[in-house]
Amino acid sequence: MQAAELRNDPFRRITVVPFTGVFGAEISGVDLNNLDDETVAEIREALLRYSVVFFKGQDFTPEAQAAFGRRFGVLNRHPYVKPMDGHPDVFRIVKEPTDKHHFGSGWHTDLAYTETPALGTILYGVDVPEAGGDTMFASQYAAYDRLTDGMKAMLADLKAIYTNANTYGKDADRFKVGVSKAMKVQPAAVKEVAHPVIRTHPETGRKGLYLSPIHFSRFEGMTPEESKPLFDTLVAHATQPEVTCRFRWQNGAVAMWDNRCTMHYAINDFSGVGRTMQRVTLEGDRPV
Ligand code: SIN
């Protein structure tokens, strides 16, 4: 058997090439607008194995992207970001050439400030800069595996409190720096939720760290000041280069990630040019 065949086993309908030594994979040989059930099952398997998968050369209308998302679960309607007209399950992430704020620019996992954070996210590059605007990912399985037994034991019953205030409250950066008019985000009333710091993935059974720095308030039973040193240590651990990867976008590329075992970071390193992405989000369940 050829090395490539071994590497792709058990994938028969898609070609899967690992992206780093730890996680992530690029999938080719597939048109996401034209999928049979076996191919969908292989993409699902690849997502569970690699935590984030990338496709290139795709052509997603909003309807087509929503239809693709529905093959993997129920679609989420974002609590604060207005959907595209006529497409309630799809929204656009827009940074205009003059905008300073960049949506998702900070380590996070999607919708961590809700009771049932997102299972997965499917992001499509509509109009991306020639250079800049990459997205980074961090494997939280790998971050957990690299913890010492002492840290694993100490974190076993710890919960973190997440809040929508950091990103959607009236004092959030996006409202101070200036939110893209195209995104029509309005300040929201503050809500908090507690989630375990270590979560077990409901499908793979693997344990991972579950952190969302841009949404973090404090650990349960502690003040923000008491929480900060440990939280900062965990975030540095969870984003060390060895557990990350970085995706360079092109128009027509798609990234699909599992929010239950990864964090991501939209890099705000471009200005004077715009960036438009189209997002569909899969409903998740309560982390345990
Ligand atoms: C997000 O957090 O969904 C945005 C990621 C990106 O635009 O790169």
Side-chain angles (χ1 to χ4, degrees):
M1 198 184 260
Q2 298 290 305
E5 283 175 78
L6 273 176
R7 190 178 54 206
N8 288 341
D9 191 57
F11 303 110
R12 298 282 173 253
R13 306 218 166 209
I14 55 178
T15 302
V16 180
V17 177
F19 203 65
T20 73
V22 171
F23 77 127
E26 188 160 341
I27 298 181
S28 57
V30 64
D31 171 3
L32 299 184
N33 283 323
N34 187 10
L35 295 172
D36 58 21
D37 290 346
E38 289 77 13
T39 309
V40 170
E42 290 195 7
I43 294 171
R44 182 189 296 276
E45 174 64 22
L47 182 66
L48 290 175
R49 283 183 178 214
Y50 292 99
S51 305
V52 53
V53 292
F54 306 106
F55 307 85
K56 288 189 178 145
Q58 302 297 322
D59 185 10
F60 265 161
T61 60
E63 297 89 334
Q65 190 173 351
F68 173 72
R70 283 189 202 100
R71 305 291 294 266
F72 297 90
V74 175
L75 301 189
N76 166 272
R77 295 188 176 176
H78 197 283
Y80 309 120
V81 180
K82 204 170 169 293
M84 291 179 75
D85 287 343
H87 305 286
D89 300 319
V90 186
F91 69 87
R92 283 199 162 176
I93 296 173
V94 180
K95 187 180 178 216
E96 315 266 17
T98 52
D99 286 344
K100 298 219 168 359
H101 179 78
H102 189 33
F103 186 95
S105 190
W107 286 110
H108 67 285
T109 174
D110 289 328
L111 303 175
Y113 51 82
T114 65
E115 306 249 319
T116 53
L119 179 161
T121 302
I122 300 155
L123 193 65
Y124 171 64
V126 176
D127 187 13
V128 305
E130 224 170 84
D134 296 355
T135 307
M136 290 192 70
F137 296 88
S139 167
Q140 297 308 288
Y141 289 146
Y144 174 80
D145 291 346
R146 285 166 171 257
L147 289 171
T148 58
D149 289 345
M151 278 299 265
K152 286 179 184 164
M154 194 181 88
L155 300 175
D157 296 321
L158 189 63
K159 288 192 170 176
I161 311 285
Y162 294 105
T163 175
N164 61 354
N166 301 350
T167 46
Y168 294 101
K170 64 180 175 23
D171 296 325
D173 187 56
R174 58 162 42 88
F175 300 117
K176 285 195 196 139
V177 170
V179 65
S180 166
K181 284 189 188 53
M183 293 199 65
K184 301 188 180 91
V185 180
Q186 296 298 324
V190 173
K191 279 192 194 161
E192 292 189 336
V193 66
H195 291 310
V197 167
I198 293 173
R199 102 177 259 191
T200 304
H201 193 290
E203 291 182 80
T204 66
R206 286 185 70 184
K207 283 186 178 175
L209 270 175
Y210 187 70
L211 307 170
S212 194
I214 65 172
H215 306 125
F216 181 74
S217 169
R218 61 197 182 277
F219 292 118
E220 197 170 62
M222 297 186 199
T223 65
E225 294 71 27
E226 287 167 340
S227 307
K228 190 172 176 349
L230 174 60
F231 192 70
D232 288 351
T233 301
L234 289 177
V235 172
H237 174 87
T239 58
Q240 59 189 281
E242 287 74 12
V243 305
T244 69
C245 68
R246 177 172 177 144
F247 185 61
R248 182 170 185 160
W249 286 97
Q250 47 184 246
N251 293 349
V254 174
M256 180 175 187
W257 60 87
D258 188 333
N259 283 290
R260 301 167 296 184
C261 54
T262 58
M263 289 199 284
H264 58 283
Y265 188 131
I267 299 178
N268 192 6
D269 63 348
F270 61 103
S271 59
V273 286
R275 178 178 185 268
T276 301
M277 314 297 285
Q278 197 163 276
R279 183 172 127 172
V280 162
T281 314
L282 302 173
E283 285 278 8
D285 46 20
R286 190 154 195 147
V288 284

